[in-house]
């Protein structure tokens, strides 16, 4: 099995299990407390590597008018994210993303950059889909 197919299968298996969104709430509250962003207006947010859409699920609970999109390599993860109100698409984040340039107010990459071979492409695509004064947030474990 090729490396990419192994990665896809790993995430298909991982996201086929029941997911606990509640455990993420404390983390997301902490993270959002570190940035200034008016989540009361209808922002367009992209969650790169969205998995089951936990971030979007949390944000939509704060403001249901937010437009949350996501991309992930896992069909199972995307299917669950869609059930949770995320406009999620199956996509390889190492290829051009299926969004218009300058579309998003915020691009969020939560603990994915350490898994990528071509980090420059990830950063360039994030910049491409962000509006001029948009916000790009990357988190990574230390």
């Amino acid at each position: 099995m090729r490396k990419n197919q192994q990665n896809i299968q790993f995430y298909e298996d991982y996201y086929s299990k029941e997911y606990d969104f509640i455990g993420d709430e404390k983390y997301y509250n902490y993270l959002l407390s570190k940035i200034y962003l008016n989540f009361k207006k209808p922002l367009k947010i992209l969650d790169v590597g969205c998995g089951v859409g936990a971030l979007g699920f949390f944000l939509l609970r704060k403001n249901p008018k937010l437009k949350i999109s996501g991309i992930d390599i896992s069909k199972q993860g995307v299917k669950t994210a869609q059930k949770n109100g995320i406009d999620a698409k199956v996509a390889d984040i190492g290829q051009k993303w299926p969004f218009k340039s300058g579309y998003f107010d915020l691009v969020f990459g939560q603990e994915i950059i350490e898994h990528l071979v071509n980090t420059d492409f990830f950063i360039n695509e994030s910049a491409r889909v962000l509006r001029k004064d948009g916000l790009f947030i990357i988190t990574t474990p230390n």
Side-chain angles (χ1 to χ4, degrees):
M1 193 182 292
R2 292 184 25 227
K3 181 81 168 155
N4 195 38
Q5 288 295 64
Q6 289 174 327
N7 288 341
I8 293 169
Q9 189 58 52
F10 171 82
Y11 288 107
E12 292 299 340
D13 294 343
Y14 181 80
Y15 292 131
S16 68
K17 298 176 179 92
E18 189 68 28
Y19 190 83
D20 174 22
F21 289 101
I22 305 306
D24 294 327
E25 188 166 2
K26 191 175 190 180
Y27 168 74
Y28 291 135
N29 278 322
Y30 170 78
L31 180 67
L32 295 176
S33 75
K34 299 299 177 186
I35 60 172
Y36 175 77
L37 195 59
N38 183 359
F39 284 101
K40 290 183 175 32
K41 68 180 201 175
L43 298 172
K44 291 178 267 181
I45 299 171
L46 175 61
D47 185 4
V48 182
C50 68
V52 295
L55 173 65
F57 178 80
F58 172 78
L59 293 174
L60 286 171
R61 284 181 44 212
K62 286 195 164 296
N63 180 352
K65 293 182 182 177
L66 295 173
K67 169 75 171 132
I68 311 287
S69 299
I71 54 175
D72 200 278
I73 200 165
S74 167
K75 290 177 189 172
Q76 184 63 44
V78 165
K79 183 178 172 183
T80 303
Q82 290 169 340
K83 287 180 184 175
N84 288 305
I86 313 306
D87 179 22
K89 301 176 186 328
V90 175
D92 181 345
I93 61 175
Q95 308 276 328
K96 186 175 179 183
W97 301 348
F99 304 106
K100 293 187 282 189
S101 297
Y103 182 76
F104 292 101
D105 300 299
L106 169 64
V107 172
F108 196 94
Q110 176 183 251
E111 302 189 17
I112 60 167
I113 197 165
E114 67 275 11
H115 300 282
L116 303 176
V117 174
N118 189 347
T119 55
D120 289 345
F121 182 83
F122 167 68
I123 292 168
N124 289 334
E125 271 300 275
S126 297
R128 181 185 69 77
V129 301
L130 267 175
R131 69 170 203 242
K132 259 190 178 168
D133 59 345
L135 183 62
F136 179 38
I137 299 174
I138 301 172
T139 65
T140 187
N142 69 13

